[in-house]
Structure formats: structure tokens, C-alpha cells
Amino acid sequence: MTDTMLESTYDERLHEWYRAARTAGPAGVAADTGAVVVLRYDDIERLSHDPRLEGVGLTLFDFLGIGDGALRSWYSSLMFTNEGDAHHRLRRLAARVFTPRSVERHRELAGALAAERMERLVADGGGDLVAALVDVPITVICTLIGVPDEQISDFIQYGDALSPVFGLMDPEQVAVAERAVIDLTHAVEAMIDTRLSQRGDDLISGLLDAEEQGDRLTHDEVVTMVGNLIVGGHDTTSGQVSCSLLTLMRHPEALAALRADESLAGAVVNETIRFEPSITIVPRTVREPIEIGGVDRPVGSMVFLASASASRDEDVWSEAETFRPARFTEPDAPKLLSFGSGPHYCLGAALARMTMEEVLLAAARAGLGDTIVADGPIDADHIEWRQILGRSPARLPVTVR
């Protein structure tokens, strides 16, 4: 069997492109990177747990020629880029403080921020829904971490500059990210210095105190972990919020159902992620020779587990091309693969879901799909898409009627 060469896109043609690719075969090769693209749900779920694959590590940095410097040093220390015992140790210690309980404590904040943004938009008679809500996820993350209010705008800039590091960057993005990681490191070190003498009820204090069988995170590991959480949860969540809002604007009946029964929020979040995901692939690297899609893949090959393709795999999902807001209330609903699977399952999944629930609830309560409507066409021909780490609508103009 030979590979099909796959041209990529990040706008709404993505779904048609994946559907055609899945029909042609279980995998192909991305024309821009040469990565093996795995397309079908069962293969992606299986390979997520296969020890012959590991996280992407520094493969993309090597591909881009980033051989040294502060950015490479920081990136190589992330939990995301580590494997085996090193990865398990970092994840285990972080998980002791990054718990569902610690996340749930910030639900009220997420809801209040989203409600305030929607109230402002309504008072203005409309505006751009993306711009109105884009900073809610990063503000929640910063508060969880313990960033002082007056510094949150700086951390948003660091997150914006560093979000592209998990994908293909151009030279200007590399330079901006290099400066940002230096500034972010200095800011986090200053926060740690404060917490060393005065603990607080925040994630930095928790990370400094986290211990298991005498093992603790080092100073540098705490610095890197904070950066990991800022970058890993910024564009991913804000981009998914925009994708989810677009989906609901096209299905006002789902917004009406959410207003009538707010307990549907979790299911609606999952279905919007399935139907219109911001993150479309989970990158991996071959560590031992493996056959994928009928072709032997050598060590060092990049592999993209196309979770967006898996989310519309007709062999797994009933009515895969139909948006069904209550799908995930059904007991036999398949598992969503958008947050990864196996040892690299997203540590911040609970935080992302909670934040999205509160944003979508705030939008529904404010009247989205009823008194707040699209200001212009929102079909595929009229929505401009952008891509940083994830893909998302660039703007969603709305008006109040």
C-alpha cells in the first residue's frame, strides 16, 4: 500500500477534506510536513496508547531548524515534550494540585467574567462575539495560577506569542516567541519569589508544596509548569469557544434548549467540540518501527492523529455529520478524542470544559440566538477562519434586536 498525499486546510472545508481522505484509506501523508496523518477513530484510539509512539518532543523544532536558544530550552522542558518516567513524574506532581476541585472553585469567576462581557456587548447594541469573550479563558487560568490582576494583560500577550510553538512557525513568530518566553520566565520567577515567603490559595503555591514520597518539583520545573499551563490552555480554549459559538449560532434551537435546561451545558460543550473542533490533530513521533495504514513507518517519523477526522467517523458516530446537542447525554456515546488519550491526555481538560460551559451558558442567558443574532451571513462562504495553535472563526459580528 502507498500513501495518499494530503493537502491541508483549516477552514470549514476541513470536514469535507477529512471525509474524502477517510474514504480513500486509513492514513495519508501531509504535503507540508511529511507527517503521517491517521484518519479513523479506532486507529487513533489504539495508537494513542501504543508505546511505539511518543509525544512530538523536539521534532517540529528540528524540522524548523530551531537548534538552540531560550525558546528551545523552555520547550524541551515542558511536560508536553517529555516522555516516560520524566513525563509521569511531572504529571503526577502537577495533578496533586491541578484537581477537579481546584478547577471547580473558579467556576463562579468564569461565569461572572463571561456574563460581564455579554452584558457589555448587549449595552453596546452588538459587536464582535469573538473579541468580547476571547480573554475569558486566559483570565481564569491566570487567576487559578495566582497572577496579580495588574499583570494579567501581560500574560495574555505571552500566551498569544507562545501559542504557535506547538505548530509550524515562521521566522517572525519564532523571534516573538523567543522574547516572550524570556519575559514570561522573569515574571513567573518574581511570582515564585513572593510565594516562597508568603503562600497563597493558588496553583503556584500548590506546585511549590506538591510532594509525593519525598519528591518535589524544582524551582525551574515550577517555572516551566506555569508556562505550560498558560500556553497550553490559552488559544486552545479561546479558539474552541469561538468554534462552539459559531456552531450554536447556526443552531439557535440548541441555544433555546440550553436556556430551558442548563444541565445540558456539559453535553453541548462536548458536541460542539466534536462537531467543530479548534484543535484538529494530536502530534506524535515514532520511537520504534511501526506499521500505520499498511505502510512501515521508520523511527523519527512524525504522526498526526487527526482527532477532527475521528470526531466525524461514520463508522463510530451515528449521524456523524449532524449536530445533536444532547448526543453526549446518551449512555452509548463514544469517547471524545479531542483532548487526546493515553498518557498525554490533556491535564487541563476539566478546566477547559468548565470554562466553556460557563461561557456558553452566559451567551445563552444573554439571548444569543434570540435577541442577539448574527450581523450578516454566517454560512461557510462568509466566515473568515484563522489558525494559531487551534483554528477558529476570526470574527463573529452580532447585533441586538
Side-chain angles (χ1 to χ4, degrees), residues 302-326:
M302 279 192 292
V303 177
F304 292 165
L305 305 180
S307 54
S309 177
S311 289
R312 293 204 186 193
D313 188 337
E314 301 84 349
D315 291 336
V316 174
W317 304 92
S318 62
E319 300 178 287
E321 297 296 328
T322 301
F323 177 71
R324 288 172 35 199

Side-chain angles (χ1 to χ4, degrees), residues 31 111 210 254 275 301 325 343 347 379:
F275 192 76
S301 299
L347 187 64
D379 58 276

Side-chain angles (χ1 to χ4, degrees), residues 78-93:
L78 297 177
M79 185 167 58
F80 173 82
T81 53
N82 277 274
E83 291 298 325
D85 291 344
H87 173 264
H88 294 319
R89 173 180 170 274
L90 292 172
R91 187 181 183 93
R92 186 177 65 248
L93 288 168

Side-chain angles (χ1 to χ4, degrees), residues 60-68:
L60 283 174
F61 271 48
D62 292 339
F63 179 79
L64 294 170
I66 307 173
D68 54 21

Side-chain angles (χ1 to χ4, degrees), residues 312-368:
R312 293 204 186 193
D313 188 337
E314 301 84 349
D315 291 336
V316 174
W317 304 92
S318 62
E319 300 178 287
E321 297 296 328
T322 301
F323 177 71
R324 288 172 35 199
R327 181 188 299 272
F328 285 91
T329 65
E330 300 164 2
D332 59 345
K335 182 173 69 173
L336 194 64
L337 299 182
S338 299
F339 289 102
S341 189
H344 279 276
Y345 181 78
C346 177
L347 187 64
L351 178 62
R353 281 193 169 104
M354 179 277 287
T355 303
M356 289 185 58
E357 287 173 16
E358 292 303 314
V359 171
L360 298 189
L361 282 169
R365 291 167 185 154
L368 186 64

Side-chain angles (χ1 to χ4, degrees), residues 64-191:
L64 294 170
I66 307 173
D68 54 21
L71 185 61
R72 183 182 175 99
S73 177
W74 172 81
Y75 186 82
S76 67
S77 302
L78 297 177
M79 185 167 58
F80 173 82
T81 53
N82 277 274
E83 291 298 325
D85 291 344
H87 173 264
H88 294 319
R89 173 180 170 274
L90 292 172
R91 187 181 183 93
R92 186 177 65 248
L93 288 168
R96 294 187 69 82
V97 291
F98 201 66
T99 62
R101 182 179 177 183
S102 70
V103 166
E104 198 61 29
R105 289 206 318 266
H106 291 78
R107 182 179 288 276
E108 184 177 349
L109 170 66
L113 286 170
E116 188 274 331
R117 303 297 193 274
M118 291 303 300
E119 288 170 7
R120 188 186 308 168
L121 182 141
V122 170
D124 290 342
D128 178 9
L129 203 55
V130 171
L133 295 166
V134 69
D135 69 334
V136 172
I138 187 66
T139 302
V140 173
I141 293 171
C142 284
T143 305
L144 175 69
I145 289 170
V147 178
D149 290 345
E150 65 274 12
Q151 292 183 27
I152 289 178
S153 60
D154 293 333
F155 276 74
I156 292 174
Q157 292 180 33
Y158 304 148
D160 286 341
L162 288 167
S163 288
V165 301
F166 298 108
L168 298 177
M169 295 182 287
D170 60 38
E172 181 179 355
Q173 288 175 314
V174 172
V176 170
E178 184 90 19
R179 291 193 296 271
V181 79
I182 293 171
D183 292 342
L184 171 63
T185 298
H186 290 160
V188 175
E189 285 178 338
M191 290 166 57

